[in-house]
Amino acid sequence: MAGNRGVVYEGPGKVSVKDIDFPDLVLKDGPGVPASNVGRKCEHGVILKVITTNICGSDQHMVRGRTTAPEGLVLGHEITGEVIEVGRDVEFIKKGDIVSVPFNIACGRCDMCRQQKTHICTNVNPERPGAAYGYVDMGGWVGGQSEYVMVPYADFQLLVFPDKEKAMEKILDLTMLSDIFPTGFHGAYSAGVKVGSTVYVAGAGPVGLAAAHSAQLLGASTVIVGDLKEERLEQARSFGCETVNLSKHDRLGEQIEQILGVPEVDCAVDAVGFEASGHGANAGEQPATVLNAIMDITQAGGQLGIPGLYVTEDPGAADTDAQTGSLKIRLGLGWAKAHTFVTGQTPVMQYNRHLMKSIFSGKAQIAKAVNATVINLDEAPQGYSQFDSGVARKFVIDPHGSIR
């Protein structure tokens, strides 16, 4: 049997590359696996040889110690790979297929899946609706920052690339289909971006950059990106966005007025989440900052797309309320302005096939927008460290040297 290695969370601030079990078509006991999920048979699944697997900001929250993730968890929910083994009950996926794996694990059979709400499947996680690979409180499914990984419900979930040769030519773009591109697109789409819209995107990390690029694809006339890091803002400007450096300015509306002539935008996206910082010099962490800011600068009747992660437990929060996900949000402001809020995980399968077509046609240049940077598996800990420092890169792990 082949060996396997993966990126393992070993406690706050520490990840390492370790030997891990070669995947089988069963969910075995391990870190974070609920007792009722142990031994779950997955003959409807496949084994993938991982081609690319990306480091996500959501992974970084765990590595910083800002969740209740258990030590020993194999990380990674952004997975693209080649099918090397198919389960007995798999009918349409074949060995040799190159596929994108939606980070949402979904059965395809429950009421939520039938409504295309695959982000809140009710059958794959006994603890709450929704599941993901290598993530805290998400069913205990083993992550894919590894050489090989098991993917359940393959016929329903997997997006097969129609041309293997062209797929490898575009692999740096296609690897973004598992999460970041659909998540950014979901943020822009659920914010109601359309032709001519003016849009504010909070955060110039990879999801924020993906949301900004998606807003452009949807026809926005002006996309303004706010962040505290000048390097990230420079990346946003590289593909035509306006920017606001929030470490220098604490009055966002005034900065927007300088760009648009009015202090409001049509719609806004929160691509930051619960580790938000206040605006202005030395403001420190203020987890409700972004939500309050986007309500303030979005016009009455506007929509707010909120793909940024918010959690129910944050042991590293500065106050006891925030430790349980209770934030000081000016909900009355949003109510008075009749804002629409769209929150939660992204239902990747609603978007990934169409975004794939945009990539193959050349319309979408997502790898360029997020500055995709390839590293090998052994470089993953260094990638986490650099990502944590705020570099303007999206790290793509290439565990088998398939694209380097």
Side-chain angles (χ1 to χ4, degrees):
M1 179 181 291
N4 193 20
R5 296 191 305 149
V7 180
V8 177
Y9 171 65
E10 295 198 283
K14 186 176 181 182
V15 297
S16 63
V17 179
K18 290 188 169 184
D19 291 332
I20 61 174
D21 290 341
F22 191 85
D24 197 0
L25 296 174
V26 61
L27 182 55
K28 300 177 181 178
D29 195 8
V33 183
S36 53
N37 245 6
V38 174
R40 187 168 183 157
K41 296 180 180 179
C42 297
E43 289 292 347
H44 42 63
V46 299
I47 307 298
L48 297 184
K49 178 181 179 181
V50 177
I51 295 174
T52 55
T53 176
N54 314 326
I55 297 176
C56 179
S58 297
D59 299 321
Q60 198 73 61
H61 292 308
M62 290 187 291
V63 173
R64 290 190 188 115
R66 298 299 296 266
T67 72
T68 56
E71 295 183 13
L73 184 71
V74 180
L75 301 170
H77 56 270
E78 300 190 17
I79 308 164
T80 305
E82 179 184 357
V83 178
I84 62 170
E85 181 182 339
V86 297
R88 178 194 61 209
D89 300 331
V90 177
E91 185 175 359
F92 304 111
I93 304 297
K94 309 299 182 187
K95 287 184 181 180
D97 285 344
I98 296 180
V99 299
S100 177
V101 183
F103 81 89
N104 322 111
I105 301 173
C107 71
R109 298 157 182 164
C110 69
D111 287 343
M112 292 299 99
C113 285
R114 291 176 187 274
Q115 296 177 47
Q116 292 190 312
K117 298 177 181 179
T118 53
H119 57 309
I120 45 175
C121 173
T122 57
N123 283 337
V124 290
N125 182 3
E127 296 187 331
R128 64 177 69 173
Y133 304 89
Y135 207 81
V136 59
D137 296 333
M138 284 290 164
W141 299 89
V142 179
Q145 285 175 15
S146 55
E147 294 172 326
Y148 302 91
V149 68
M150 188 269 284
V151 175
Y153 303 103
D155 278 331
F156 175 65
Q157 292 194 105
L158 293 181
L159 176 65
V160 179
F161 300 141
D163 187 310
K164 293 173 67 173
E165 184 175 342
K166 289 182 179 178
M168 291 307 296
E169 292 173 0
K170 295 273 191 178
I171 197 65
L172 280 183
D173 292 291
L174 295 172
T175 190
M176 307 303 169
L177 290 173
S178 56
D179 179 357
I180 176 180
F181 196 8
T183 294
F185 190 89
H186 179 63
Y189 183 81
S190 60
V193 178
K194 50 184 174 289
V195 173
S197 293
T198 56
V199 187
Y200 175 71
V201 177
V207 169
L209 296 171
H213 183 46
S214 297
Q216 293 173 333
L217 292 173
L218 288 165
S221 60
T222 306
V223 180
I224 304 170
V225 180
D227 199 275
L228 302 166
K229 298 278 188 179
E230 186 58 34
E231 180 184 352
R232 290 186 171 196
L233 294 172
E234 183 178 348
Q235 182 63 26
R237 290 192 292 270
S238 75
F239 59 95
C241 297
E242 301 285 347
T243 61
V244 177
N245 189 325
L246 296 169
S247 69
K248 300 178 180 178
H249 305 287
D250 59 0
R251 296 183 180 181
L252 179 57
E254 291 181 0
Q255 300 305 307
I256 288 175
E257 187 170 18
Q258 289 185 21
I259 296 168
L260 298 177
V262 294
E264 290 185 322
V265 291
D266 296 325
C267 48
V269 179
D270 172 3
V272 177
F274 74 104
E275 287 193 72
S277 295
H279 298 168
N282 304 314
E285 186 170 311
Q286 298 176 24
T289 296
V290 171
L291 291 172
N292 289 328
I294 62 176
M295 284 189 284
D296 186 49
I297 54 89
T298 300
Q299 69 176 3
Q303 295 176 207
L304 310 178
I306 308 173
L309 175 68
Y310 289 88
V311 295
T312 56
E313 293 183 83
D314 175 9
D319 61 71
T320 55
D321 286 337
Q323 287 174 7
T324 60
S326 298
L327 309 182
K328 295 179 180 179
I329 298 169
R330 296 184 62 197
L331 187 59
L333 175 61
W335 189 93
K337 296 178 78 171
H339 284 155
T340 298
F341 297 74
V342 180
T343 67
Q345 289 185 38
T346 297
V348 169
M349 292 178 67
Q350 289 188 22
Y351 307 110
N352 61 355
R353 188 172 300 276
H354 296 293
L355 295 177
M356 175 186 71
K357 294 176 183 178
S358 295
I359 288 170
F360 278 126
S361 72
K363 297 289 186 183
Q365 302 283 335
I366 186 64
K368 180 180 178 181
V370 302
N371 194 16
T373 302
V374 180
I375 60 176
N376 63 43
L377 190 62
D378 290 313
E379 292 172 319
Q382 181 182 358
Y384 270 96
S385 178
Q386 291 184 33
F387 190 29
D388 192 45
S389 73
V391 296
R393 296 181 181 182
K394 174 68 172 178
F395 287 104
V396 177
I397 301 172
D398 175 12
H400 294 280
S402 302
I403 59 176
R404 286 165 67 93

